[in-house]
């Protein structure tokens, strides 16, 4: 199976007054048709920037470089403005973290939903409205007629996120990018939205790139996962393998952060390092209880089999012990 | 919406009433109108008699009440000097000033919006620097200087444009340009800063992720949000322009509201000054009201708040 999205050696630098911020420092990523891939990590680890890189919507100041970055075999690094525009909607669509601010306050929900469909010439306004109606019905934004005429401020956060989902689905994308889609919502709404995303993914046969900081979400949703720390993927593989046989101390520490009923949660000591200047070795070493001197040298990637890869000097079974 | 407009209108009328009262009082306390009217060689008796015939010796409130009663019926009295109805004098000039004001504002908006938008899309580009430069020099350049330079260049050297009067449309070109240049800096800077703020918003990123054209993102998604403060500013600027520009009207010898007001103040022509004061405040009030209504129509959130 050829991957929809195939990226290797992705780097994003953001030059600034305090020096250049190396926000993403060489990550590999590939997403196959119909699969659910999650990127998990703390704030500032570069997971959202990774999503924006794939969308071609990085901030103007950011500089992207990659050894390979392709969509269905086409080189995305050479995409013209027009090619990006053709990609957005029918190929890749996105929903974002803040449903409260992600919709335009002065346009009706209906106008915003149909825009992409009409612009990509998939049909006229009437056809667009019909499809918007079906999708809103499907995601549970009813009664459709009234909702289409409403403005975003007349809806709750959960409803707005459902509107965002319907909007993203309008052109039947092959890949949906969801950047922390439930972080800003209350817990019960979170569960509903995630469930909906999972169902829609199966129904539409699309791939889902889900960005989250919540390993619980990963366990529920994903086929494969990449754990990001300080602009690098420290561990990746199938969800079953990574979560049950985590080989990297950071993954294992994240798992310890999950609240359970009978055990107190264990926070990770220390803070995320600033990503300026020359960065060598494992960035987690100053927070890691297994750290040793050699961790300051470049750390090779090691395989545990079936695509499960991690970057650490420890043997695969040492962390769990 | 109707309730919103109604409450605004009531407040507006109160403001207008206050302005008329304060204006009336200040004008009467600012000097002895009878002495001014009688002239330098008049005797004390002549001044006293004039004061009595003009009714200027009555209590201030009584004078105000009769002025208000007349004004409410559209009668603003006679000019002390021209011996003409104030309304007639006003109507003879408002057309000229209104053409100048409206054309200047349209020109200013036509220049400011696209340039401000472009500057916002490419901050710190050469275009942005040019826009900032134009805004700065527009603000720094005095209107009279600009007017004189234009007259000497386009009027005298090139002989392209007539330099005084308001007889043909060509006569309006230079005064309109001078007035527009005065209004452009504020409009352009507000467009630039407003657009830059809006372009940072999440919903712009959403719009971009939909693959629609960047022109549509700019116009439909960004401008619809950024235009709200621009409408309010334009209303205020039109108010100022309708009050007439003494400088532009004097330099180009245009007989408009600005010049009339200026001369009347100089001569102590109280009925004219009071009427002009009412006109200027009424235009400000009506224009701001209009701007509020347009904004409420464009922004559903304002509409809801007002209900």
């Amino acid at each position: 199976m050829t991957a929809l999205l195939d990226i290797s050696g992705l780097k994003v630098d953001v030059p600034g007054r305090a020096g250049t911020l190396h926000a993403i420092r060489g990550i590999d990523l590939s997403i196959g048709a119909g699969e659910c891939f999650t990127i998990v990590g703390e704030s500032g680890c570069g997971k959202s920037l990774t999503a924006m890189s794939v969308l071609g919507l990085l901030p103007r100041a950011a500089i992207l470089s990659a050894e390979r970055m392709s969509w269905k075999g086409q080189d995305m690094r050479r995409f013209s403005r027009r090619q990006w525009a053709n990609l957005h909607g029918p190929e890749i669509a996105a929903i974002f973290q803040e449903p409260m601010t992600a919709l335009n306050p002065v346009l009706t929900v209906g106008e915003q939903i149909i825009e992409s469909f009409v612009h990509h010439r998939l049909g006229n306004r009437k056809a667009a409205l019909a499809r918007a109606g079906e999708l809103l019905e499907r995601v549970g934004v009813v009664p459709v007629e009234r909702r289409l005429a409403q403005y975003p401020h007349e809806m709750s956060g959960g409803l707005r996120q459902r509107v965002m989902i319907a909007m993203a689905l309008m052109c039947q994308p092959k890949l949906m990018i969801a950047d922390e889609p439930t972080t800003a919502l209350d817990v019960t709404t979170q569960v509903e939205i995630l469930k909906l995303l999972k169902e829609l993914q199966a129904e539409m046969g699309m791939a889902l790139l889900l960005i989250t900081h919540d390993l619980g979400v990963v366990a529920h949703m994903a086929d494969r996962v990449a754990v990001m720390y300080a602009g690098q993927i420290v561990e990746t593989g199938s969800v079953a393998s990574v979560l049950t046989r985590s080989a990297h101390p950071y993954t294992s520490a994240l798992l310890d952060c999950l609240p359970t009923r009978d055990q107190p949660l264990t926070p990770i000591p220390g803070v995320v390092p600033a990503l300026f200047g020359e960065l060598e070795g494992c960035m987690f070493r100053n927070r890691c209880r297994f750290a040793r001197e050699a961790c300051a040298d470049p750390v090779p990637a090691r395989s545990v089999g079936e695509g499960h890869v991690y970057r650490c000097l420890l043997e695969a079974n040492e962390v769990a012990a | 919406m109707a309730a919103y407009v109604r409450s605004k209108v009531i407040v507006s009328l109160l403001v207008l009433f206050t302005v008329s009262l304060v204006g009336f009082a200040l004008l009467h306390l600012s000097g002895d109108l009878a002495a001014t009217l009688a002239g330098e060689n008049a005797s004390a008796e002549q001044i006293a008699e004039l004061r009595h015939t003009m009714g200027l010796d009555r209590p201030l409130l009584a004078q105000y009440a009769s002025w208000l009663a007349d004004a409410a019926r559209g009668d603003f009295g006679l000019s002390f000097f021209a011996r003409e109805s104030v309304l007639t004098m006003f109507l003879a000039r408002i057309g000229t000033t209104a053409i100048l004001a409206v054309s200047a504002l349209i020109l200013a908006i036509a220049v400011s919006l696209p340039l401000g938008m472009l500057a916002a899309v490419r901050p710190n580009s050469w275009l942005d620097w040019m826009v900032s430069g134009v805004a700065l020099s527009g603000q720094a350049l005095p209107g009279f200087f600009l007017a004189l330079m234009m007259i000497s260049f386009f009027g005298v050297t090139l002989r392209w444009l007539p330099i005084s009067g308001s007889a043909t449309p060509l006569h309006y070109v230079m005064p309109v340009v001078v007035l527009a240049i005065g209004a452009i800096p504020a409009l352009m800077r507000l467009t630039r800063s407003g657009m830059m703020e809006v372009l940072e918003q999440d919903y712009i990123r959403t719009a971009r992720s939909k693959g629609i054209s960047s022109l549509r993102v700019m116009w439909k998604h960004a401008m619809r949000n950024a235009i709200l403060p621009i409408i309010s500013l334009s209303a205020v600027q039109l108010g100022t322009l309708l009050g007439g520009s003494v400088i532009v009207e004097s330099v180009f010898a245009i007989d408009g509201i600005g010049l009339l007001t200026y001369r009347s103040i100089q001569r102590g022509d109280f009925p004219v000054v009071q009427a002009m004061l009412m006109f200027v405040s009424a235009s400000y009030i009506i224009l701001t009201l209009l701007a509020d209504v347009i904004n409420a129509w464009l922004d559903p959130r304002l509409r809801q708040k007002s209900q």
Side-chain angles (χ1 to χ4, degrees):
Chain A
M1 183 188 70
T2 53
L4 279 179
L5 182 70
D6 190 10
I7 293 174
S8 76
L10 175 71
K11 287 181 184 163
V12 173
D13 290 339
V14 187
R17 269 186 211 143
T20 297
L21 174 75
H22 304 289
I24 299 179
R25 301 181 302 121
I27 64 172
D28 305 339
L29 197 66
S30 93
I31 300 175
E35 86 168 321
C36 178
F37 191 92
T38 46
I39 300 179
V40 64
E42 285 168 88
S43 311
C45 70
K47 56 192 195 297
S48 280
L49 275 180
T50 306
M52 291 309 139
S53 305
V54 176
L55 274 171
L57 291 177
L58 282 173
R60 192 182 300 279
I63 300 163
L64 178 147
S65 67
E67 285 153 28
R68 185 172 65 246
M69 189 171 172
S70 69
W71 175 257
K72 290 179 173 172
Q74 289 171 288
D75 190 351
M76 295 171 93
R77 294 170 303 171
R78 297 191 187 169
F79 270 10
S80 66
R81 201 182 269 240
R82 173 169 292 262
Q83 280 172 299
W84 274 114
N86 289 339
L87 196 74
H88 289 148
E91 303 284 340
I92 301 181
I95 62 174
F96 303 100
Q97 183 174 347
E98 283 290 340
M100 302 313 269
T101 54
L103 288 164
N104 196 325
V106 302
L107 302 175
T108 60
V109 162
E111 212 167 331
Q112 298 187 58
I113 292 185
I114 64 169
E115 195 168 35
S116 169
F117 188 87
V118 173
H119 187 83
H120 286 104
R121 298 176 194 286
L122 299 174
N124 59 16
R125 227 185 126 78
K126 211 176 141 200
L129 279 170
R131 174 154 176 83
E134 280 166 30
L135 286 171
L136 284 183
E137 189 95 51
R138 175 63 192 89
V139 300
V141 181
V142 286
V144 169
E145 288 299 319
R146 191 165 68 89
R147 294 299 184 186
L148 281 172
Q150 277 185 328
Y151 289 93
H153 73 271
E154 298 170 285
M155 294 183 180
S156 67
L159 273 181
R160 290 192 213 185
Q161 196 61 291
R162 286 167 195 269
V163 167
M164 284 295 290
I165 293 172
M167 196 161 85
L169 294 175
M170 275 301 277
C171 302
Q172 289 197 306
K174 310 293 173 293
L175 168 67
M176 184 194 279
I177 296 177
D179 185 5
E180 304 224 30
T182 58
T183 308
L185 303 173
D186 64 61
V187 183
T188 45
T189 317
Q190 281 187 14
V191 177
E192 288 167 21
I193 296 282
L194 289 173
K195 201 171 140 239
L196 180 66
L197 275 176
K198 188 90 187 138
E199 287 167 10
L200 288 168
Q201 191 207 347
E203 280 168 36
M204 316 244 164
M206 66 181 175
L208 183 62
L209 171 56
L210 182 66
I211 313 286
T212 179
H213 61 264
D214 188 345
L215 275 177
V217 171
V218 175
H220 271 113
M221 301 283 292
D223 302 312
R224 285 195 301 143
V225 58
V227 181
M228 270 187 92
Y229 186 78
Q232 282 184 323
I233 292 176
V234 292
E235 183 161 10
T236 182
S238 74
V239 171
S241 181
V242 170
L243 295 192
T244 54
R245 293 191 297 275
S246 54
H248 196 284
Y250 180 63
T251 315
S252 145
L254 273 185
L255 283 166
D256 289 341
C257 288
L258 281 179
T260 52
R261 211 167 286 181
D262 41 349
Q263 269 178 358
L265 54 88
T266 328
I268 307 175
V271 291
V272 182
L275 300 176
F276 292 102
E278 290 293 313
L279 303 165
E280 280 286 317
C282 175
M283 298 309 293
F284 188 59
R285 63 181 186 271
N286 49 8
R287 298 171 80 183
C288 179
R289 62 193 173 102
F290 301 99
R292 49 183 114 151
E293 234 166 83
C295 293
D297 299 326
V299 183
R302 298 160 66 137
S303 174
V304 203
E306 333 129 53
H308 185 167
V309 178
Y310 70 105
R311 262 174 204 278
C312 185
L313 297 175
L314 294 179
E315 294 302 326
N317 52 6
E318 275 182 274
V319 180
Chain B
M1 196 76 174
Y4 174 71
V5 173
R6 195 157 50 235
S7 69
K8 287 264 175 188
V9 167
I10 292 170
V11 173
S12 306
L13 286 174
L14 284 175
V15 171
L16 208 56
F17 174 74
T18 313
V19 168
S20 75
L21 185 60
V22 173
F24 196 89
L26 284 177
L27 282 171
H28 275 78
L29 298 174
S30 64
D32 189 346
L33 293 174
T36 322
L37 268 176
E40 275 173 35
N41 303 322
S43 67
E45 290 84 49
Q46 282 172 313
I47 294 177
E49 200 195 319
L50 191 64
R51 183 173 297 140
H52 183 70
T53 48
M54 302 286 293
L56 292 169
D57 53 352
R58 291 188 297 152
L60 194 61
L61 268 179
Q63 288 184 50
Y64 176 71
S66 50
W67 176 86
L68 189 65
D70 287 344
R73 289 193 309 261
D75 176 7
F76 289 88
L78 292 180
S79 156
F80 286 166
F81 292 89
R83 290 285 150 208
E84 220 182 323
S85 139
V86 173
L87 197 63
T88 317
M89 293 172 76
F90 168 77
L91 289 176
R93 289 167 179 83
I94 183 61
T96 314
T97 298
I99 293 175
L100 277 181
V102 173
S103 327
L105 185 71
I106 291 174
L107 178 62
I109 290 176
V111 172
S112 310
L113 281 200
L115 284 183
M117 259 169 88
L118 285 172
V121 180
R122 302 244 177 279
N124 296 322
S125 65
W126 64 267
L127 196 114
D128 185 26
W129 288 105
M130 197 193 78
V131 163
S132 303
V134 168
L136 193 67
S137 37
Q139 251 167 353
L141 218 58
F144 74 89
F145 177 75
L146 187 68
L148 291 175
M149 287 301 110
M150 287 182 72
I151 286 180
S152 99
F153 188 65
F154 296 108
V156 180
T157 311
L158 296 174
R159 297 191 166 277
W160 283 356
L161 294 165
I163 58 174
S164 79
S166 53
T168 68
L170 274 187
H171 282 90
Y172 284 93
V173 174
M174 282 200 282
V176 164
V177 169
V178 173
L179 287 175
I181 286 176
I184 282 172
L187 275 173
M188 198 148 72
R189 280 154 64 145
L190 191 66
T191 311
R192 178 180 180 272
S193 61
M195 267 316 243
M196 280 177 78
E197 201 188 307
V198 168
L199 288 175
E200 292 287 305
Q201 301 298 313
D202 285 354
Y203 55 80
I204 296 300
R205 182 183 58 187
T206 307
R208 287 195 172 128
S209 79
K210 290 197 278 186
I212 55 179
S213 71
S214 40
L215 199 69
R216 193 178 163 88
V217 172
M218 290 296 288
W219 192 249
K220 185 141 190 182
H221 287 268
M223 206 57 202
R224 270 291 285 271
N225 284 280
I227 198 134
L228 305 172
I230 299 171
I231 289 172
S232 306
L233 177 66
S234 303
V236 174
Q237 286 190 325
L238 187 59
T240 314
L241 288 167
L242 279 176
S245 159
V246 176
I247 290 162
V248 167
E249 288 181 6
S250 339
V251 173
F252 293 101
I254 292 168
D255 197 8
I257 298 289
L259 215 51
L260 175 68
T261 312
Y262 174 64
R263 285 207 194 111
S264 306
I265 292 172
Q266 268 190 323
R267 297 192 294 206
D269 197 344
F270 160 72
V272 181
V273 177
Q274 175 76 10
M276 291 308 127
L277 179 66
M278 295 320 294
F279 165 67
V280 171
S281 19
S283 7
Y284 267 110
I285 288 168
I286 293 170
L287 287 167
T288 347
L289 184 65
L290 199 65
D292 284 350
V293 172
I294 295 178
N295 280 350
W297 174 65
L298 284 174
D299 188 342
R301 289 166 299 178
L302 293 176
R303 215 149 54 209
Q304 202 178 46
K305 233 178 272 170
S306 67
Q307 273 163 9

